[in-house]
Structures are given as C-alpha cells and as structure tokens.
Amino acid sequence: MSTIAHARSHAMTHAWRGAVAGAIGGVVFGVLMAMTGMLPMVAMLVGSENAVVGAVVHLAISVVFGVVFGVLAGAYADHVWATLGAGLAYGVALWVVGGLILMPALLGMALFPMGQTSMMSLLGHAIYGVVAGASLYGLSRKHV
C-alpha cells in the first residue's frame, strides 16, 4: 500500500472513531442540556424552539465536531491521559468558539455572555470533551 493510501486509511479510521466518540459525548451532554432546559435554544439555530429538534441539531453538531476531534487526536488516542486531556481542552475550546461566540452571534445575542447558563455550558462542553476523549481512547486501544 502506498504511503498516501495508508495515511488516508488512517485518517478515515480516526474520522469514523471520532464520529462515534462525538455522538457518545453528545448524548451525555444532551442529557445535561435536557435537564437544564437548554435544548430549545439549540433548536433556535434552525428556526424552531422544539426540544426534540434541539436534541437532533445538538447530536448532529456533536458528530461533526467528533470527526474533527478524531482526525486531530486519533493518532495519539491509544494514550489514555493524553486523549482525556485533549478531549477536555477540545471541549473548552468548543465552548469558547461555539458557546460564547458562534451561538450568541447566530441568535442575535451579545457575544461572550457570562452567567449561570454560560457556566453550565462550560461544564457541558468539558463533559462532552472528556467523554468523547474516553470514547475515542476506548475505540482506539490496541487489543492484545
């Protein structure tokens, strides 16, 4: 197999593992969002206020960001602490970019909102990252 084909194969493997890891992290974060009533706000991104629509949108976003995480961290995903740390950092970065900038901008709100909702969002994004990291690690372990 050529070097390019081999690298492409690894990237695809990391991407699909990331998608699964992102879905798992998204479900866990989604439960927290459902418990705190945040899903209708996510639904507003597509012109709805329905919590089920918000859950679907949230899960789709989680999978896409999981693919990116898998591609970025997949080569190191057989090292548990590195993967968990990368997941936590990734979750916090998603909170800054998504929760503090993109979502407020798309919904016509002030950027960098700080308050109880933002702190719950930080916690949720951190949980997403750690769960996605743990899932990516579990999917990437070399079985002996």
Side-chain angles (χ1 to χ4, degrees), residues 11-140:
M12 289 302 295
T13 298
H14 297 320
W16 81 258
R17 287 177 180 164
V20 172
I24 295 168
V27 167
V28 173
F29 184 12
V31 168
L32 176 65
M33 293 176 81
M35 291 170 38
T36 59
M38 293 172 64
L39 289 173
M41 185 185 303
V42 176
M44 291 170 64
L45 292 170
V46 296
S48 175
E49 291 186 24
N50 183 288
V52 174
V53 171
V56 171
V57 169
H58 171 73
L59 190 58
I61 292 169
S62 297
V63 169
V64 170
F65 283 129
V67 168
V68 174
F69 180 63
V71 170
L72 292 174
Y76 306 100
D78 56 345
H79 303 285
V80 65
W81 294 114
T83 310
L84 292 175
L88 177 60
Y90 190 66
V92 170
L94 290 176
W95 172 69
V96 171
V97 174
L100 297 181
I101 299 172
L102 288 177
M103 186 136 174
L106 291 170
L107 296 178
M109 299 164 48
L111 302 183
F112 297 101
M114 286 296 155
Q116 184 176 357
T117 300
S118 293
M119 292 301 103
M120 286 303 297
S121 178
L122 170 59
L123 176 63
H125 282 89
I127 289 170
Y128 166 83
V130 171
V131 171
S135 300
L136 184 64
Y137 170 75
L139 292 165
S140 301

